Amino acid sequence: MLALRLARGTHPLVLTRRLLVAAAAAGVGFLLLCTLGYAVGHPDRSSASVLRLLWCALPLAATVQFAVAVARTDPSTRPRPGLSAIGLGPARLTAIAAASTAVACTLGSTVALLFYLHLRGDITGLPFDGAAAGLLAADQPVPLAAALTLLAVLPVAAATAAGLALRPRTAPAAPEGVEKAMPAGLPWGVALVAIGLAIETYASRSGSGNGLPLPGRFDGNPAGVLAGWVLTTVGLAMAGPGLAYGCGRLLQAVRPGATRLLAGRVLMDESRRIGRPLGVVSAVLSGLLAASRLYASDGGSEAFGPLTGLGAALILACTTATLLTAALESRQGRAHTTEALLRIGAPPTVLRTAALLRAGALLTVFLPLTWAVAELAALPLTG
């Protein structure tokens, strides 16, 4: 109840971000229900139904990541003076953030269920009544317990992840004069990217015929291709903070001025916050580029269906929104530093130029990396 009262008085931009989380949850819920409909309509293809359900884990994970990023930027969950005196300490605020995330995801799951029943023809009186009755196995009754269980996965996972990400913790202070270290995930990330690409290459050339039936077709490639892409995504997410930290180092190289020093130091400080979502976006874009190469190749146009496109759109939208939300969180985190610089007379053009330098350095590193990973991933698929 307290989470709902806080939601009523929040800023419209915060409510918009929560509605975006609800929209993403609705898309994931619809994919899960479509997978359930396939299982109900094809009881003799249980293994294919399980594989389709596993494929839905990708947009679900992207939505959970986005929901956590939105919870981190929610102003109502930040500790403020005086709140502990009325029982709203850090632990209570974390519980409120988790509850707000669960409410948004539950709203999206409810919309997905209503839309699914409407397309089946179970709910009438609106346009497109029963428009997808054949695809959603309208001749079979909906197993309500299974549907509610699937729809509950996302709210529970998102609320748990938000609670773990925002839980109160104390970090040991660094000794004076000691600079904060380089994120240590870069070597492991590079190793995982190499392993993932190797698995994709081996699986695409194995010819085992163990296809992975994705929702809405795309049954032509082995399941190892998707497993390799997941490892590549995890590797880029691990390597992202290290690469962002290296970009900050490069900005300060070779006799830097005040603007480059400011841009480099900010990028180094924010490398852990924006590097991981930037690595995930790079992996998603590389996967989409590889898929477009497959689509343009012979017979590729018949491999993709509408639900596959919906899942890919959800993954791209959620990962991009997570990156933008992380950038907003970084901006909020350095608000006091920006105010101090303006107070001592720093011109606003210096701050804008530093922001452009940070964006340019990141694009210079991550765009070629995305293209290279996409080419290496698409080569065995189209060859």
Side-chain angles (χ1 to χ4, degrees):
M1 185 62 67
L2 180 57
L4 292 176
R5 290 183 178 180
L6 289 175
R8 290 176 54 191
T10 52
H11 193 273
L13 183 59
V14 178
L15 289 177
T16 302
R17 291 199 294 265
R18 291 178 180 173
L19 288 177
L20 289 177
V21 172
V28 173
F30 184 73
L31 283 177
L32 291 172
L33 291 175
C34 289
T35 303
L36 177 63
Y38 179 86
V40 171
H42 303 83
D44 55 334
R45 303 179 184 177
S46 58
S47 60
S49 301
V50 172
L51 289 175
R52 285 170 175 258
L53 185 62
L54 290 178
W55 184 85
C56 293
L58 298 179
L60 188 145
T63 303
V64 169
Q65 184 192 26
F66 178 43
V68 171
V70 170
R72 290 174 63 94
T73 58
D74 194 340
S76 63
T77 61
R78 296 176 191 164
R80 290 184 295 273
L83 290 181
S84 298
I86 59 174
L88 292 178
R92 185 72 180 275
L93 292 177
T94 300
I96 292 174
S100 300
T101 303
V103 168
C105 294
T106 303
L107 175 62
S109 298
T110 304
V111 173
L113 179 60
L114 295 176
F115 188 65
Y116 176 79
L117 294 177
H118 170 60
L119 291 181
R120 277 174 48 96
D122 298 331
I123 298 178
T124 58
L126 295 173
F128 308 106
D129 288 340
L135 178 64
L136 304 180
D139 56 335
Q140 301 289 334
V142 178
L144 187 59
L148 294 180
T149 301
L150 287 177
L151 292 177
V153 170
L154 179 59
V156 171
T160 303
L164 292 176
L166 298 176
R167 69 186 186 278
R169 50 192 164 196
T170 57
E176 293 186 4
V178 178
E179 188 178 1
K180 187 183 293 185
M182 182 174 184
L186 183 58
W188 293 102
V190 173
L192 282 179
V193 170
I195 294 173
L197 291 174
I199 291 176
E200 288 184 47
T201 303
Y202 176 78
S204 62
R205 294 183 177 180
S206 62
S208 60
N210 184 18
L212 177 64
L214 304 183
R217 299 195 300 273
F218 195 59
D219 301 339
N221 292 317
V225 173
L226 183 59
W229 182 78
V230 171
L231 282 179
T232 302
T233 303
V234 174
L236 287 175
M238 292 182 64
L243 292 175
Y245 190 90
C247 291
R249 282 285 193 184
L250 288 177
L251 283 176
Q252 301 175 79
V254 191
R255 303 177 61 182
T259 305
R260 281 204 290 145
L261 276 175
L262 177 62
R265 293 300 303 179
V266 170
L267 194 54
M268 290 170 61
D269 291 339
E270 297 176 352
S271 59
R272 288 179 171 86
R273 185 174 294 167
I274 67 173
R276 186 169 291 109
L278 191 56
V280 173
V281 170
S282 177
V284 170
L285 290 178
S286 65
L288 291 179
L289 289 175
S292 65
R293 291 282 301 275
L294 178 62
Y295 183 87
S297 63
D298 294 337
S301 59
E302 300 179 357
F304 297 89
L307 296 183
T308 303
L310 175 61
L314 278 174
I315 294 173
L316 178 61
C318 289
T319 52
T320 304
T322 301
L323 177 59
L324 296 177
T325 307
L328 177 62
E329 183 186 6
S330 300
R331 182 180 179 183
Q332 293 173 349
R334 63 175 185 272
H336 296 293
T337 304
T338 302
E339 292 175 0
L341 289 174
L342 293 175
R343 199 162 45 242
I344 63 176
T349 54
V350 172
L351 301 178
R352 289 193 290 267
T353 305
L356 291 176
L357 284 176
R358 293 195 300 271
L362 292 174
L363 289 176
T364 302
V365 171
F366 279 91
L367 281 182
L369 176 64
T370 302
W371 177 83
V373 173
E375 289 296 320
L376 290 175
L379 186 60
L381 297 177
T382 58

